[in-house]
C-alpha cells in the first residue's frame, strides 16, 4: 500500500476539533481516558493538544492562543485560520470543522480540487516547533491543500503533506486508558446527504459511496465518512437535527476500542456520563471535546 492507500483512496489523517480552550480540552480528554500530547503552537495564532492513535490517525483539538495574530493571519489570506474564525463566529467555539486526508503531493491535490470546483482557498505552507515526550524540540513543516463547497460554509477538508514530520511519540502517546485504537467513522449531518456525494468522494479519492435510508457512507482506506439526515442522527446517535438549513456539519466521531467493557469501566471510574445505543457507547459533548464521541468494539 502506498501513502495514499490502495487504488489511490486516501487515508484519514486527522480531524480538526475547535475547542473553547486547550487547557479545557486537555482536562476533558484526559477524563475520557485519552493520553494527550504536549501542547503545540502554530505561527498564525492557534494552538493544539493532539491525541495520537495507534492506527495512525489523530485528533487535533484547536484553540485560539492569540486572537490578534489569528485575525492578522486571516486578513493576510491564511485559509485555515479564516475558515476556523468563520465557523467559530457562526456556531461557537466547539465543533468538528474539518476532515484531513494524507497526501504526498499537496500541489497536485490543490489542482485537483480546483478542477473539480471545490477549491477551498489558497494553499498554506508553514513550520512549527514541536515538543517531544522527552522534552526535546524539533521543527516540523507542512503543506496544506484545501477543499470546500460553497453550499456548505460550516465544514471543510484539506490534504496534509508533511515536508518534515515530527515523530508520533511512539507507543507512550498512542496507548490510552480507555483502550481506543483508532477512528472508525466520522459523522456529518445534512438534510439531503446525496447532494454532497461528489464533494466527499473527491476529497477521499474514492469510488465507494454506499447510499442507505439515512444518508450515505464514503469510504476512506482506514475509516468511513457518514453523512446522515436528521433521522439518521437520531436513530444512530440520539442527536437532534441541526438548526442549520443546509450544508455539511461535523457531528460525531466514532472510535474503535479493543474492549468495550474496559472502556465503560474507565468512563465510570472517571465520572463520565455515557449511554449505550445500538452496540455503541455514546459520550455527549462537553466543553473541550468538540462533538459527541462514540465508541464501538473493534470488528
Amino acid at each position: 500500500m502506498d501513502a495514499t492507500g490502495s487504488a489511490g483512496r486516501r487515508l484519514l489523517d486527522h480531524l480538526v476539533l475547535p475547542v473553547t480552550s486547550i487547557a479545557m480540552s486537555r482536562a476533558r480528554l484526559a477524563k475520557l481516558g485519552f493520553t494527550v500530547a504536549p501542547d503545540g503552537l502554530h505561527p498564525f495564532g492557534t494552538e493544539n493538544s493532539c491525541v495520537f492513535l495507534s492506527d495512525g490517525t489523530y485528533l487535533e483539538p484547536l484553540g485560539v492562543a492569540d486572537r490578534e495574530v489569528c485575525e492578522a493571519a486571516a486578513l493576510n489570506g491564511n485559509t485555515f485560520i479564516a475558515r476556523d474564525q468563520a465557523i467559530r463566529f457562526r456556531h461557537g467555539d466547539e465543533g468538528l470543522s474539518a476532515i484531513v486526508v494524507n497526501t504526498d503531493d499537496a500541489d497536485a491535490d490543490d489542482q485537483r480540487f480546483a478542477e473539480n470546483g471545490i477549491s477551498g482557498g489558497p494553499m498554506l505552507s508553514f513550520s512549527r516547533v514541536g515538543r517531544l515526550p522527552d522534552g526535546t524540540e524539533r521543527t516540523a513543516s507542512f503543506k496544506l491543500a484545501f477543499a470546500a463547497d460553497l453550499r456548505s460554509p460550516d465544514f471543510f477538508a484539506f490534504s496534509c503533506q508533511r515536508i518534515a514530520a515530527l515523530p508520533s511519540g511512539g507507543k507512550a502517546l498512542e496507548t490510552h486508558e480507555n483502550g481506543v485504537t483508532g477512528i472508525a467513522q466520522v459523522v456529518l449531518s445534512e438534510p439531503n446527504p446525496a447532494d454532497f456525494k461528489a464533494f466527499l468522494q473527491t476529497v477521499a479519492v474514492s469510488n465507494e459511496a454506499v447510499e442507505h435510508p439515512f444518508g450515505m457512507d464514503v469510504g476512506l482506506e482506514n475509516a468511513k465518512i457518514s453523512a446522515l439526515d436528521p433521522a439518521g442522527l437520531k436513530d444512530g446517535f440520539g442527536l437532534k437535527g441541526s438548526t442549520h438549513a443546509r450544508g455539511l456539519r461535523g457531528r460525531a466521531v466514532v472510535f474503535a476500542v479493543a474492549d468495550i467493557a474496559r472502556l465503560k469501566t474507565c468512563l465510570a471510574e472517571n465520572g463520565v456520563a455515557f449511554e449505550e445505543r445500538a452496540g455503541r457507547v455514546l459520550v455527549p459533548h462537553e466543553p473541550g471535546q468538540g462533538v459527541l464521541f462514540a465508541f464501538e468494539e473493534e470488528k
Side-chain angles (χ1 to χ4, degrees):
M1 183 186 302
D2 64 21
T4 61
S6 62
R9 187 167 58 173
R10 295 302 170 86
L11 293 162
L12 175 65
D13 189 87
H14 68 279
L15 302 175
V16 180
L17 301 167
V19 294
T20 305
S21 79
I22 288 302
M24 185 181 294
S25 181
R26 176 176 291 280
R28 177 60 180 171
L29 293 172
K31 192 172 183 180
L32 291 175
F34 288 105
T35 301
V36 186
D39 293 354
L41 182 64
H42 297 134
F44 31 76
T46 49
E47 59 184 344
N48 62 25
S49 55
C50 297
V51 172
F52 296 101
L53 305 174
S54 60
D55 71 343
T57 63
Y58 67 96
L59 302 179
E60 183 184 15
L62 186 74
V64 177
D66 191 318
R67 190 166 299 278
E68 290 186 0
V69 173
C70 285
E71 290 173 353
L75 289 173
N76 287 329
N78 185 310
T79 301
F80 180 75
I81 294 300
R83 290 193 172 276
D84 180 67
Q85 287 191 327
I87 292 170
R88 289 177 190 270
F89 178 81
R90 287 169 56 84
H91 298 289
D93 288 326
E94 297 276 329
L96 165 56
S97 60
I99 286 177
V100 187
V101 297
N102 72 325
T103 186
D104 287 333
D105 192 340
D107 292 292
D109 280 354
D110 183 60
Q111 181 178 346
R112 181 169 58 86
F113 294 154
E115 289 172 350
N116 283 276
I118 61 168
S119 173
M123 295 180 67
L124 174 64
S125 296
F126 70 97
S127 298
R128 72 171 183 88
V129 175
R131 184 179 296 276
L132 304 182
D134 64 3
T136 61
E137 294 184 340
R138 188 178 299 180
T139 299
S141 299
F142 309 88
K143 184 181 286 188
L144 314 181
F146 299 94
D149 189 312
L150 289 173
R151 302 170 299 171
S152 184
D154 303 318
F155 180 81
F156 66 110
F158 58 93
S159 59
C160 177
Q161 180 181 359
R162 286 170 174 76
I163 308 301
L166 291 173
S168 67
K171 189 174 181 180
L173 286 181
E174 294 175 356
T175 301
H176 305 280
E177 179 190 3
N178 56 23
V180 168
T181 58
I183 297 172
Q185 183 180 7
V186 186
V187 180
L188 313 178
S189 66
E190 155 58 27
N192 187 19
D195 285 350
F196 293 90
K197 177 180 176 180
F199 171 75
L200 293 175
Q201 285 187 297
T202 301
V203 170
V205 194
S206 175
N207 292 322
E208 180 185 332
V210 179
E211 296 189 42
H212 48 75
F214 291 140
M216 66 176 180
D217 301 325
V218 174
L220 292 159
E221 186 66 22
N222 56 344
K224 68 178 177 180
I225 305 168
S226 296
L228 304 179
D229 63 17
L233 288 175
K234 182 174 178 58
D235 182 75
F237 300 93
L239 290 170
K240 296 180 180 179
S242 175
T243 55
H244 73 295
R246 295 298 307 273
L248 296 170
R249 286 280 306 279
R251 300 301 300 275
V253 183
V254 181
F255 298 94
V257 297
D259 183 340
I260 203 77
R262 170 185 169 186
L263 167 80
K264 291 190 288 186
T265 297
C266 171
L267 296 177
E269 288 179 348
N270 291 343
V272 175
F274 64 88
E275 63 177 285
E276 297 183 62
R277 178 187 291 260
R280 296 190 182 108
V281 171
L282 307 182
V283 176
H285 166 256
E286 293 288 343
Q289 185 178 323
V291 291
L292 178 145
F293 282 2
F295 304 85
E296 62 183 25
E297 203 158 75
E298 290 177 343
K299 299 175 182 177

